[in-house]
């Protein structure tokens, strides 16, 4: 974790040293680029919002993996961890999802890289893969140590696979 954070900070500092003022776009250009990106994926955003609301209303959950299988996904607890991080409850954020401390700096680096520095995506892609692998390792450890009794690594009993298997077993 410290290695990745140190690497992100060193990369950011390296970018700052290389012709910093000539490479920074104007605020108008940054806003224009963000707007263009949002317009490019607006259909996905609308579908995501509709799915989010529908899942929450129907299942009182938003995790599709948990709704279908009943098992927590590698990202379980990430939303609660992010909220705790925003409110400076770092211990609680770590409890809900230890990998939040990798994802937030990576997100900030990705936003800065996309809209301000406009550098190669190769470093970001490598960091994204490393963070994903670390998240999966953390997930496996948490499944071994916390599942199924401790939140957020709990089994969702009203999952679709369970309901289907229960329904099919009672058909004569």
């Amino acid at each position: 974790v410290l290695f990745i954070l140190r690497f992100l900070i060193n990369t950011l500092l390296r970018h700052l040293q290389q012709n910093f003022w000539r490479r920074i776009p104007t605020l108008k250009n940054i806003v224009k680029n963000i707007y263009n990106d949002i317009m490019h994926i607006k259909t996905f955003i609308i579908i995501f919002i509709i799915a989010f609301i529908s899942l929450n209303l129907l299942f009182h959950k938003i995790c599709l993996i948990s709704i279908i299988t009943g098992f927590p996904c590698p990202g379980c607890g990430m939303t609660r961890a992010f909220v705790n991080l925003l409110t400076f409850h770092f211990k609680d954020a770590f409890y809900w999802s230890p990998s939040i401390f990798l994802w937030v700096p990576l997100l900030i680096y990705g936003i800065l890289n996309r809209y301000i520095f406009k550098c190669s995506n190769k470093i970001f892609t490598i960091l994204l893969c490393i963070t994903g692998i670390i998240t999966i390792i953390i997930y496996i450890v948490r499944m071994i140590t916390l599942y199924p009794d401790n939140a957020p690594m709990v089994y969702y009993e009203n999952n679709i696979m369970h309901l289907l298997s229960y329904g099919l077993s009672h058909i004569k």
Side-chain angles (χ1 to χ4, degrees), residues 132-152:
I133 291 168
I134 292 172
T135 301
I136 291 171
I137 291 169
I138 291 171
Y139 169 72
I140 292 168
V141 170
R142 288 167 57 97
M143 285 295 282
I144 293 168
T145 59
L146 297 176
Y147 182 79
D149 300 325
N150 300 317

Side-chain angles (χ1 to χ4, degrees), residues 15 23 109 112-114 116-122:
H15 286 302
R23 299 179 76 190
Y109 176 76
L112 291 175
N113 189 33
R114 171 98 174 137
I116 296 175
F117 300 121
K118 301 197 184 250
C119 300
S120 169
N121 288 329
K122 186 185 291 186

Side-chain angles (χ1 to χ4, degrees), residues 7-33:
F7 181 78
L8 286 171
I9 291 168
N10 286 337
T11 305
L12 183 62
L13 290 175
R14 201 173 324 118
H15 286 302
L16 290 174
Q17 292 170 353
Q18 298 171 352
N19 299 325
F20 177 72
W21 296 109
R22 283 189 280 165
R23 299 179 76 190
I24 300 293
T26 63
L27 183 61
K28 181 179 177 181
N29 286 340
I30 293 171
V31 171
K32 180 181 172 189
N33 290 338

Side-chain angles (χ1 to χ4, degrees), residues 61-78 80 95-98 135-161:
K61 285 182 107 23
I62 58 171
C63 179
L64 194 58
I65 293 173
S66 181
I67 290 169
I68 293 172
T69 67
F71 296 105
C73 70
C76 274
M78 192 74 72
R80 288 174 275 188
Y95 172 77
W96 287 111
S97 181
T135 301
I136 291 171
I137 291 169
I138 291 171
Y139 169 72
I140 292 168
V141 170
R142 288 167 57 97
M143 285 295 282
I144 293 168
T145 59
L146 297 176
Y147 182 79
D149 300 325
N150 300 317
M153 309 308 277
V154 293
Y155 183 73
Y156 179 60
E157 293 181 6
N158 292 327
N159 66 74
I160 293 173
M161 290 180 70

